[in-house]
Amino acid sequence: MLSYSSYMLTALAALLVTCHALQKCPGNPRLPGVPGLPGRDGLKAQSRLQGLLESLDTELILLNLKHRLSRLEGVLALNGKTKEVGEKIFASNGKEVDFASALESCEEAGGTLATPTNEEENKAILSIVKEYNRYAYLGIKEGETSGQFEYINGTPLNYTNWHQYEPNGKGTEKCVEMYTDGTWNDKRCNQNRLIVCQF
Ligand code: MAN
Ligand code: CA
């Protein structure tokens, strides 16, 4: 897979290097006329060629970006820093802060707090919690009605993994932490808990 994409990159790069050497790249206002094709036909062929080179340039940029991204993902996964489940990537920096600061850190990094919406995601977050052996705040909070919890974007929960007898805070524990066995506890929001974000 990697060697194939590397081959494609090299091949496309060679093509574009040639086009740059011949000064026939997209962005050059005019290409020389196509021999044997006079006037209007020549211009048509010229603009088709220009379009082709432009789309090749875009393809090369996209391939290069994909290649660099997959290498970055490989490095992060290898260091055990990320857990990927479906479309989601979970990650931690190992720091422990209160709920508001944890959410802020995740949002500053372009994500949000880790929010398990099924068992698989819960297990992925749990693996990070276990790695650091620290409880983590989840992207879940108590709604208007006490005892009723929702996602931080205000939508109702479609999956829960409460510890036995939880939630029990009755309005006094508005945040939710994950224990090191993956179960949840409603908890005051001012504790220091592991930052786990999702992207
Ligand atoms: C503490 C707090 C509560 C939790 C109980 C469980 O009092 O962490 O949130 O429900 O322990 O015994
Ligand atoms: Ca509780």
Side-chain angles (χ1 to χ4, degrees):
M1 183 57 208
L2 199 69
S3 61
Y4 173 72
S5 73
S6 301
Y7 167 77
M8 287 294 289
L9 278 177
T10 316
L12 275 169
L15 242 171
L16 283 164
V17 166
T18 311
C19 102
H20 281 286
L22 297 174
Q23 295 190 305
K24 288 181 181 178
C25 290
N28 289 337
R30 288 184 67 82
L31 290 166
V34 176
L37 285 179
R40 206 154 49 89
D41 288 345
L43 281 175
K44 266 192 197 166
Q46 180 182 306
S47 86
R48 272 207 302 274
L49 184 58
Q50 199 151 4
L52 186 69
L53 287 171
E54 267 162 29
S55 58
L56 268 175
D57 226 354
T58 308
E59 279 302 310
L60 179 63
I61 289 164
L62 283 177
L63 259 167
N64 192 6
L65 281 174
K66 281 182 193 169
H67 182 63
R68 293 176 64 182
L69 274 178
S70 85
R71 284 191 307 163
L72 280 176
E73 284 175 347
V75 170
L76 287 171
L78 189 70
N79 288 340
K81 294 282 181 230
T82 57
K83 292 278 174 267
E84 231 176 305
V85 175
E87 295 287 283
K88 280 190 190 176
I89 298 176
F90 298 109
S92 175
N93 59 4
K95 291 182 183 165
E96 291 171 276
V97 295
D98 66 25
F99 176 84
S101 309
L103 179 58
E104 199 176 291
S105 296
C106 290
E107 287 180 344
E108 264 173 19
T112 187
L113 268 175
T115 307
T117 61
N118 57 49
E119 194 186 339
E120 204 190 0
E121 291 181 359
N122 204 72
K123 279 183 177 160
I125 299 166
L126 173 61
S127 72
I128 296 175
V129 162
K130 275 184 166 164
E131 200 170 294
Y132 290 97
N133 196 28
R134 292 283 177 269
Y135 299 170
Y137 278 127
L138 300 176
I140 295 171
K141 61 173 174 48
E142 198 166 30
E144 294 290 304
T145 316
S146 113
Q148 195 170 24
F149 286 79
E150 58 193 31
Y151 295 118
I152 46 180
N153 67 11
T155 58
L157 301 184
N158 60 10
Y159 164 84
T160 61
N161 195 33
W162 295 113
H163 194 269
Q164 203 176 18
Y165 310 125
E166 306 293 348
N168 63 356
K170 302 185 183 76
T172 64
E173 299 181 315
K174 296 189 163 299
C175 287
V176 176
E177 64 186 357
M178 179 184 279
Y179 286 149
T180 45
D181 67 353
T183 60
W184 306 354
N185 172 39
D186 59 340
K187 188 76 181 177
R188 280 174 292 124
C189 303
N190 62 356
Q191 309 293 293
N192 284 335
R193 292 292 177 259
L194 182 67
I195 303 177
V196 184
C197 307
Q198 73 177 37
F199 299 91

